[in-house]
């Protein structure tokens, strides 16, 4: 089957920036041509006039909750939310129930994703058994089953020697570590950012140094072992500075942040709004500005969502007792495009952060070239829309952005040459 996407502005940073036709044959890109230059007959034509056509967006950090907490999200519902948000691929974290710490669970996740037939799913397996921070898992088996990286996300690996061995062991199998950086002794039971808002509300605060110290440790271990490390959900100005300095001296460190860290501050907690409770917590305005600067200068490599579904009843409790996290797959692009509309990033920069750089970190090439898998996102960057959680494909509704007016959204998503979402 041959598909033609015509009249679109194709934006593949570093390769293509202009009006092109894209031809897809049997799931792969057949040709990218000047408009009207290729005269083959198409079985299906997608008119992209007024739209940008980009390499598929990739989210390096989501929680799909299956197996074990299917009332929050399933692999199928999470993938449906992903393609609605313009994502053609997601990396799912291992803190399921049971934990994805063995090849059997990794294989099962891959199979369930294939059954769903929506976004591609790349499992991230656990560094240690049960996320316990002690016993390293069988990395060769995990990679063989489909694991693309290793992380104890949700829990830090507190023991430095264990993390050193994990980096060395992962390197032997061409895997890399995604580190949840958090010194729990400094968190000390805190539930939001340490500062004036926490003081006003009488809530325990989490200082920036609880993240920053672990970021420095992981950088040091990566430098010592020569391994690759990726820092998850960066939220503080000190972490950005440390990563910037590490990159300048050649350490193999990459990093992500999430839309809530460059959009909101601790003030969003308001009067104990649990929809603004997450880990790491929303920080100060100075931190938010540092995150944006880190995206601008390349210190932060990508934007991930840390999509963390929770049932309403779990969030409708006192702030101290509420679980951390918000969903993000269906709001990420709209929130991130605000950086473009406000002049902080070019659209090409944003595509690098949401598509090209995640692919590079994962060891993939998603250039729009003949022969490549046809994973594409079509977006209308001028479309105005209201965030309506009740209409989400995700099974959960825990977002602080309900009712927000955003500009720009995905209007079609193509995975392996199949149109899996269209407005």
């Amino acid at each position: 089957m041959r598909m033609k996407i015509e009249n679109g502005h194709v934006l593949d940073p570093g390769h293509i920036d202009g009006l092109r036709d894209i031809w897809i044959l049997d799931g792969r890109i057949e040709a990218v041509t000047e408009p009207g230059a290729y005269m083959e007959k198409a079985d299906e034509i997608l008119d992209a006039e007024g739209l940008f056509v980009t390499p598929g967006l990739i989210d390096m950090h989501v929680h799909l909750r299956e197996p074990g907490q299917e009332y929050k999200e399933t692999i199928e519902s999470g993938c449906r939310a992903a393609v609605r948000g313009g994502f053609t691929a997601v990396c799912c974290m291992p803190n399921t129930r049971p934990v994805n710490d063995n090849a059997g669970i990794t294989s099962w996740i891959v199979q369930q994703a294939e059954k769903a037939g929506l976004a591609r799913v790349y499992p991230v397996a656990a560094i240690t058994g049960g996320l316990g921070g002690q016993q390293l898992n069988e990395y060769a088996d995990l990679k063989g089953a489909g694991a693309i990286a290793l992380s104890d996300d949700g829990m830090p690996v507190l023991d430095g020697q264990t993390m050193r061995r994990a980096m060395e062991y992962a390197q032997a199998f061409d895997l890399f570590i995604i580190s949840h950086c958090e010194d729990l002794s400094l968190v000390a039971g805190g539930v939001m950012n340490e500062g004036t808002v926490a003081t006003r509300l009488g809530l325990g605060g989490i200082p920036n140094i609880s993240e920053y110290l672990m970021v420095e440790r992981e950088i040091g271990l990566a430098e010592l072992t020569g391994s690759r490390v990726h820092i998850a959900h960066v939220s503080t100005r000190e972490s950005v500075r440390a990563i910037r300095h590490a990159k300048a001296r050649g350490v193999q460190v990459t990093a992500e942040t999430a839309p809530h860290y460059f959009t909101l501050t601790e003030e969003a907690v308001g009067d104990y709004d649990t929809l603004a409770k997450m880990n790491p917590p929303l920080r100060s305005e100075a931190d938010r500005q540092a995150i944006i600067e880190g995206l601008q200068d390349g210190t932060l490599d990508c934007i991930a969502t840390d999509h963390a579904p929770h049932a309403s009843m779990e969030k409708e409790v006192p702030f101290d007792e509420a679980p951390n996290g918000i969903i993000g797959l269906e709001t990420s692009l709209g929130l991130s495009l605000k950086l473009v509309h406000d002049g902080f990033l070019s659209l090409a920069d944003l595509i690098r952060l949401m598509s090209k750089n995640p692919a590079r970190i994962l060891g993939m090439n998603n250039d729009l070239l003949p022969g490549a898998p046809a994973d594409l996102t079509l977006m209308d960057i001028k479309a105005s829309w209201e965030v309506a959680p009740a209409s989400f494909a995700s099974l959960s509704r825990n977002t602080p952005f309900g009712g927000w007016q955003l500009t720009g959204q995905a209007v079609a998503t193509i995975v392996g040459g199949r149109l899996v979402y269209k407005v």
Side-chain angles (χ1 to χ4, degrees):
M1 177 179 171
R2 177 178 281 121
M3 176 190 288
K4 178 186 180 186
I5 304 172
E6 63 182 15
N7 301 320
H9 186 133
V10 178
L11 180 56
D12 181 2
H15 297 277
I16 307 169
D17 185 359
L19 291 178
R20 297 287 191 281
D21 291 340
I22 296 181
W23 296 79
I24 299 169
L25 181 64
D26 297 334
R28 291 184 175 273
I29 295 175
E30 182 183 25
V32 181
T33 67
E34 297 293 330
Y38 196 64
M39 300 306 291
E40 295 292 333
K41 183 178 179 181
D43 302 294
E44 182 179 0
I45 296 176
L46 197 60
D47 187 357
E49 185 174 3
L51 305 178
F52 280 92
V53 184
T54 74
L57 306 185
I58 300 173
D59 189 342
M60 285 191 62
H61 193 144
V62 307
H63 299 270
L64 294 181
R65 303 304 191 199
E66 187 179 12
Q69 293 183 301
E70 290 82 356
Y71 66 98
K72 297 184 180 186
E73 197 78 286
T74 65
I75 292 171
E76 191 277 338
S77 67
C79 288
R80 194 166 298 284
V83 298
R84 284 181 57 134
F87 294 98
T88 58
V90 298
C91 298
C92 63
M93 291 295 148
N95 56 341
T96 48
R97 297 179 182 177
V99 171
N100 178 17
D101 60 5
N102 63 79
I105 295 176
T106 305
S107 296
W108 184 84
I109 290 171
V110 171
Q111 292 165 9
Q112 294 303 113
E114 288 174 351
K115 285 181 184 177
L118 295 162
R120 300 181 194 274
V121 174
Y122 302 117
V124 177
I127 298 170
T128 64
L131 308 180
Q134 298 295 321
Q135 186 70 38
L136 300 186
N137 293 321
E138 297 290 344
Y139 295 170
D141 291 349
L142 290 166
K143 182 171 183 179
I148 200 163
L150 301 158
S151 180
D152 275 5
D153 188 58
M155 290 294 295
V157 176
L158 292 174
D159 185 83
Q161 180 71 346
T162 301
M163 181 58 93
R164 174 183 178 174
R165 298 305 181 207
M167 287 188 184
E168 292 170 337
Y169 190 25
Q171 187 181 28
F173 299 103
D174 196 25
L175 291 168
F176 67 99
I177 299 292
I178 299 175
S179 181
H180 172 109
C181 292
E182 185 179 26
D183 184 326
L184 296 180
S185 68
L186 290 164
V187 172
V191 293
M192 69 169 294
N193 188 49
E194 182 175 279
T196 56
V197 179
T199 300
R200 174 174 61 82
L201 297 176
L203 294 171
I206 302 173
N208 285 20
I209 198 171
S210 65
E211 174 182 300
Y212 159 66
L213 274 186
M214 291 292 272
V215 169
E216 285 282 27
R217 187 197 74 173
E218 310 306 44
I219 289 170
L221 289 174
E223 199 164 17
L224 174 67
T225 62
S227 303
R228 288 196 296 148
V229 67
H230 179 79
I231 308 298
H233 41 55
V234 173
S235 71
T236 74
R237 54 192 183 277
E238 294 89 350
S239 300
V240 173
R241 183 183 62 210
I243 295 164
R244 182 179 291 127
H245 291 167
K247 285 189 169 186
R249 62 178 190 271
V251 181
Q252 295 191 81
V253 58
T254 56
E256 70 187 34
T257 190
H260 36 278
Y261 298 120
F262 56 74
T263 305
L264 301 175
T265 69
E266 60 193 335
E267 297 290 343
V269 173
D271 290 326
Y272 307 97
D273 184 356
T274 58
L275 292 178
K277 184 182 179 187
M278 52 203 77
N279 187 29
L282 298 172
R283 301 291 187 178
S284 68
E285 176 61 19
D287 293 300
R288 190 184 75 87
Q289 291 294 334
I291 294 294
I292 293 174
E293 290 168 8
L295 292 169
Q296 288 176 308
D297 70 8
T299 300
L300 300 174
D301 300 85
C302 55
I303 295 171
T305 64
D306 197 2
H307 178 81
H310 293 294
S312 297
M313 63 182 179
E314 294 172 318
K315 281 287 194 178
E316 292 170 354
V317 296
F319 196 90
D320 281 347
E321 301 172 14
N324 290 305
I326 63 171
I327 55 175
L329 284 168
E330 292 168 81
T331 53
S332 179
L333 180 58
L335 291 168
S336 300
L337 277 168
K338 191 170 187 305
L339 294 175
V340 176
H341 297 312
D342 291 345
F344 293 114
L345 296 174
S346 69
L347 183 58
D349 289 336
L350 187 65
I351 301 307
R352 288 191 183 91
L353 291 162
M354 298 187 74
S355 173
K356 306 295 287 187
N357 290 353
R360 171 178 53 81
I361 293 167
L362 296 171
M364 302 170 185
N365 184 335
N366 63 350
D367 294 344
L368 299 182
L369 296 173
D375 291 359
L376 302 164
T377 302
L378 279 64
M379 58 184 74
D380 181 348
I381 69 167
K382 297 180 180 177
S384 179
W385 61 288
E386 181 177 313
V387 178
S391 68
F392 281 173
S394 173
L395 296 183
S396 292
R397 304 286 179 261
N398 52 309
T399 174
F401 301 111
W404 278 44
Q405 290 289 329
L406 299 180
T407 302
Q409 63 180 163
V411 296
T413 306
I414 295 172
V415 178
R418 290 193 309 115
L419 184 63
V420 293
Y421 171 70
K422 186 173 185 296
V423 171

